[in-house]
């Protein structure tokens, strides 16, 4: 009698899953296969496009993208199996959509840098358009840069506290009909066009007989900024664990002090990031500035009196002139605006990483 029989243990056959797994892994494409598919698709797309007489390179690229998806699916089906082919198909579609989103953005950034860097220098950043005719070269963007900083700064001072307090109410206190109404209007205001906010402030100006100024533009920008601050802050406050609130309340600390000393410091990194992104969202608005600030060629450092310029208004103004010199100034101002928004995003990411909760061992 064998040892297996003595011990009462029966030998089981190898699981079918293991055999299936071995059969699935027996034939696999190399890791560099997607790059090869992309190269073949690009060559075929360019060749077929040139032979067909397509003048647009966009047509070549779109046809190459379709060929990439088809070649990836067919080759994977033949070499591996149908399950891997479907997975490769989904991955290829994701990569194609990613490239379709990135290529126009990269083209826009490259065009702005290429054309804007022609006259972007210290003189351009430190001089205004005072005494410079629009058709002539020269002049700078200093007055518009000052206007943008002041108008965006005032809008932030107005909207950040309101948005923060509204988010605190919705998360910590809001449970009735008022909270639902506030949430509804925040959602509606998130998609409001900038021209509507400008028209609203313009109506108030006409009723109160107020003059155009940077403050009027800041009020319209604040209307656009508040829902973004409320929504981002609300989501950050919801991420704070309830255990922290309960532990603070269990020690007898009032709720308002718990919010001030526990909840807000925990979420301050995400709140700051949301505020920075809201600032970047309003920095390029042009319609409210045209309606409420009017623009000027001179340096006006007082946002409470007189017309002011801003970077978006300056860009629109220079393109309206239509000369080669004005086009160069417009592209240079666009590059300054992109750099301004990029710096804000980098600052937001740095603050979020700096204020992120530290995890111990």
């Amino acid at each position: 009698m064998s040892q297996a029989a003595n011990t009462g243990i029966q030998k089981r056959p190898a699981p079918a899953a293991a055999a299936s797994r071995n059969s699935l892994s027996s034939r696999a494409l190399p890791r560099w296969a997607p790059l090869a598919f992309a190269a073949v698709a690009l060559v075929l797309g360019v060749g077929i496009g040139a032979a067909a007489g397509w003048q647009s390179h966009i047509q070549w690229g779109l046809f190459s993208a379709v060929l990439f998806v088809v070649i990836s699916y067919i080759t994977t089906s033949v070499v591996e199996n149908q399950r891997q082919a479907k997975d490769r198909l989904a991955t290829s579609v994701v990569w194609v959509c990613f490239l379709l989103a990135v290529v126009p953005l990269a083209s826009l950034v490259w065009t702005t840098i290429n054309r804007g860097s022609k006259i972007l220098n210290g003189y351009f950043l430190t001089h205004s358009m005072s005494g410079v005719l629009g058709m002539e070269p020269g002049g700078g963007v200093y007055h518009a840069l000052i206007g943008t900083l002041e108008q965006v700064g005032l809008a932030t001072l107005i909207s950040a506290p309101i948005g923060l307090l509204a988010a605190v109410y919705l998360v910590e206190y809001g449970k009735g009909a008022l909270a639902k109404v506030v949430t509804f209007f925040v959602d509606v205001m998130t998609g409001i066009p900038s021209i509507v906010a400008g028209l609203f402030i313009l109506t108030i100006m006409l009723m109160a007989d107020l003059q155009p100024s940077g403050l009027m533009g800041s009020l319209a920008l604040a209307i656009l900024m508040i829902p973004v601050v409320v929504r981002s802050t609300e989501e950050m406050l919801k991420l704070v664990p309830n255990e922290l609130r309960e532990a603070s309340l269990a020690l007898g600390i009032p709720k308002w002090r718990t919010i001030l000393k526990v909840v807000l410091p925990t979420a301050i990194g995400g709140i700051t990031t949301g505020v920075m992104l809201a600032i970047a969202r309003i920095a390029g608005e042009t319609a409210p500035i045209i309606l409420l600030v009017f623009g000027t060629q001179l340096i006006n450092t007082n946002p409470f009196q007189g017309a002011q310029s801003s970077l978006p208004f300056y860009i629109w103004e220079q393109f309206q002139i239509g000369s080669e010199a004005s086009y160069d100034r417009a592209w240079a101002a666009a590059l300054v605006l992109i750099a301004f928004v990029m710096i804000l995003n980098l600052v937001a990411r740095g603050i979020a990483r700096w204020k992120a909760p530290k995890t111990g061992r």
Side-chain angles (χ1 to χ4, degrees), residues 33 40 88 158 258 291 315 347:
V40 172
R88 183 85 67 179
I158 296 170
T258 299
L291 286 175
I315 296 169
V347 170

Side-chain angles (χ1 to χ4, degrees), residues 141-155 211-219 221 285-286 288-314 316-317:
V141 76
Y142 180 74
H143 62 301
L145 185 59
I146 291 296
T148 294
L149 292 176
E150 291 182 347
Q151 293 160 23
V152 171
L154 285 174
Q211 298 300 318
S213 65
L215 176 62
M216 298 297 104
S218 298
L219 293 176
L221 296 179
E285 293 293 344
T286 310
I289 307 302
I290 296 175
L291 286 175
L292 307 172
V293 187
F294 280 18
T296 180
Q297 306 294 330
L298 305 177
I299 299 174
N300 181 12
T301 58
N302 184 5
F304 302 101
Q305 184 177 4
Q308 269 192 326
S309 186
S310 68
L311 288 174
F313 181 86
Y314 181 87
W316 174 81
E317 182 183 48

Side-chain angles (χ1 to χ4, degrees), residues 249-335:
L249 295 173
L251 295 174
I253 300 175
K255 187 170 184 178
W256 68 269
R257 194 171 181 84
T258 299
I259 296 172
L260 190 63
K261 296 294 185 179
V262 177
V263 177
L264 290 180
T266 304
I268 191 63
I271 294 173
T272 307
T273 302
V275 173
M276 291 292 182
L277 294 178
I279 294 174
R281 182 250 188 274
I282 67 171
E285 293 293 344
T286 310
I289 307 302
I290 296 175
L291 286 175
L292 307 172
V293 187
F294 280 18
T296 180
Q297 306 294 330
L298 305 177
I299 299 174
N300 181 12
T301 58
N302 184 5
F304 302 101
Q305 184 177 4
Q308 269 192 326
S309 186
S310 68
L311 288 174
F313 181 86
Y314 181 87
I315 296 169
W316 174 81
E317 182 183 48
Q318 295 301 316
F319 267 105
Q320 288 290 102
I321 296 174
S323 66
E324 187 66 26
S326 66
Y327 286 155
D328 291 339
R329 286 192 293 265
W331 281 108
L335 183 57

Side-chain angles (χ1 to χ4, degrees), residues 18 35 55 91 99 117 149 186 191 217 221 236 271 298 330 356-357:
L35 295 177
Q55 300 297 325
T91 305
L99 290 177
S117 59
L149 292 176
V186 167
L221 296 179
M236 291 300 104
I271 294 173
L298 305 177

Side-chain angles (χ1 to χ4, degrees), residues 201-219:
I201 300 299
L202 180 61
T203 303
I204 296 177
M205 287 176 57
L206 296 176
M207 294 173 59
D209 195 20
L210 300 175
Q211 298 300 318
S213 65
L215 176 62
M216 298 297 104
S218 298
L219 293 176

